[in-house]
Amino acid sequence: MAGVLDSVNQRTQLVGQNRLELLLFRLRGRQIYGINVFKVKEVLQCPKLYSMPNSRAVVRGVAHTRGETIPVIDLGMAIGLPGIPQEDLPNSFVIITEYNRKTQGFLVTGVDRILNMNWEDILPPPKGAGKDIYLTAVTKIDDKLAEIIDVEKILSEVSPISHDVTEAVRNKSAEREAGHLPILVVDDSAVARRQIERCLTAIGMEVVLRNDGKQALEYLKEVTADGSKATDHFSLTISDVEMPEMDGYTLVTRIKSDPALSGLFVMLHTSLSGVFNKAMVEKVGADDFMAKFSPDELAERVMEVLDQG
């Protein structure tokens, strides 16, 4: 337990400083990719994989590790690159991650190192790159471009789940008083933005979308420049944590330190989970935290916040 607490204390030092630790890895080829260390449970030499009947080709099999059976996804294949040949699997690695309340492994050819970085150095993908790319951000490391993959997009394709609010929850929303102010949604993943917007519009809410914390903060300052408060414009804000240029933790810190914005209810809604995230949420002063993605749970929580005023 002491080791876990030490790790929590070490990681929470990054909170509010707009920093992250990036695990760098490679697929087939020389291109460098990155993933936030907070989502990584461990990295293993590729264990024995057992086939899964009727699974997609991108799922290379399941692995048994630490008493758990997890699917292993060939990350290269998932983004349209050639898969790792069967004969090369013993020399490959599996990055065990936790996203959206589920554990899965990503098969990669090599793992490089962990790098402590500033989110300001993590930039959105180049404009004009298209809607079908599997990137949420890019950054330069040792004069080379590193790409941060949109894992939520991959998982939505490999293991799709329903993003619809159930009829029971929609009926509950129909009984409520209408006329609430819009909700500001902040997320760098286009897939996540669509999921959240679909959920909130199903319960009759108007939604304003922004792609990262920097955009959101600039927008909030813009609408309150006339002397109004953020609460005059929005019912609440729902923000992702991992975002280029300004992460969700820093966004909360900046909102809560600004008198014009501090009254705004901020919910962090993230695929990160576990004890690390809870400690960080408390540190930055967020009003609520919810792990992605349950449409009914999110809709009901939003209705509860609105009803509480």
Side-chain angles (χ1 to χ4, degrees):
M1 178 59 73
V4 172
L5 293 177
D6 288 343
S7 184
V8 171
N9 290 334
Q10 178 182 351
R11 297 286 170 76
T12 53
Q13 298 310 309
L14 301 177
V15 178
Q17 299 181 27
N18 211 33
R19 301 193 69 83
L20 80 158
E21 289 180 322
L22 207 59
L23 174 65
L24 304 180
F25 61 91
R26 297 178 188 272
L27 304 175
R28 297 187 68 186
R30 302 178 64 182
Q31 176 63 47
I32 300 173
Y33 299 90
I35 186 173
N36 194 331
V37 168
F38 280 126
K39 292 183 175 176
V40 177
K41 298 179 74 173
E42 61 180 323
V43 178
L44 306 172
Q45 195 85 33
C46 184
K48 180 176 176 57
L49 300 181
Y50 299 86
S51 61
M52 288 181 62
N54 300 319
S55 65
R56 297 173 182 242
V58 69
V59 180
R60 299 296 295 267
V62 296
H64 300 293
T65 175
R66 301 191 185 278
E68 192 174 9
T69 301
I70 61 169
V72 175
I73 299 167
D74 190 315
L75 195 50
M77 290 180 69
I79 64 173
L81 300 175
I84 297 176
Q86 191 71 24
E87 62 271 19
D88 292 343
L89 291 183
N91 297 319
S92 302
F93 295 85
V94 174
I95 303 174
I96 309 296
T97 66
E98 187 174 353
Y99 277 85
N100 300 349
R101 314 184 190 202
K102 295 182 179 179
T103 301
Q104 55 279 308
F106 291 114
L107 185 65
V108 302
T109 57
V111 176
D112 191 348
R113 55 187 161 133
I114 292 176
L115 200 61
N116 188 305
M117 298 192 67
N118 194 310
W119 272 111
E120 292 177 358
D121 298 324
I122 311 293
L123 303 175
K127 292 183 178 179
K131 294 183 178 180
D132 295 327
I133 61 169
Y134 290 86
L135 302 180
T136 58
V138 296
T139 189
K140 185 170 285 189
I141 298 173
D142 299 333
D143 292 325
K144 296 179 182 179
L145 193 68
E147 300 178 349
I148 299 176
I149 294 175
D150 188 347
V151 175
E152 291 178 79
K153 177 177 174 64
I154 291 172
L155 295 178
S156 72
E157 295 176 352
V158 174
S159 181
I161 59 174
S162 173
H163 301 138
D164 293 325
V165 175
T166 61
E167 185 176 356
V169 175
R170 290 199 303 270
N171 290 339
K172 187 185 299 185
S173 72
E175 299 170 359
R176 298 172 58 255
E177 181 180 347
H180 290 287
L181 292 171
I183 295 176
L184 177 61
V185 171
V186 191
D187 202 302
D188 64 322
S189 169
V191 169
R193 289 196 300 273
R194 287 195 298 269
Q195 290 173 346
I196 300 168
E197 183 177 30
R198 185 170 178 173
C199 169
L200 297 178
T201 54
I203 58 172
M205 295 303 303
E206 182 183 345
V207 179
V208 176
L209 300 172
R210 288 297 181 268
N211 294 2
D212 58 57
K214 182 180 178 182
Q215 283 188 15
L217 185 64
E218 289 175 350
Y219 179 66
L220 287 170
K221 288 181 175 293
E222 179 183 322
V223 299
T224 56
D226 59 359
S228 60
K229 303 288 188 181
T231 50
D232 296 326
H233 303 275
F234 295 103
S235 297
L236 70 149
T237 291
I238 300 174
S239 177
D240 187 22
V241 168
E242 289 186 290
M243 296 179 291
E245 298 197 275
M246 182 184 292
D247 68 7
Y249 296 130
T250 304
L251 175 61
V252 173
T253 300
R254 299 286 291 274
I255 287 175
K256 295 303 181 181
S257 64
D258 188 323
L261 311 181
S262 59
L264 186 62
F265 188 101
V266 183
M267 175 194 295
L268 289 175
H269 184 242
T270 172
S271 54
L272 295 171
S273 58
V275 65
F276 298 128
N277 211 36
K278 291 178 182 178
M280 293 172 185
V281 167
E282 292 177 3
K283 181 173 180 178
V284 299
D287 298 288
D288 202 359
F289 158 76
M290 183 172 292
K292 292 179 180 175
F293 179 72
S294 166
D296 279 1
E297 187 176 327
L298 178 60
E300 291 189 319
R301 181 60 184 133
V302 166
M303 289 189 288
E304 181 182 337
V305 171
L306 295 177
D307 291 344
Q308 291 173 349

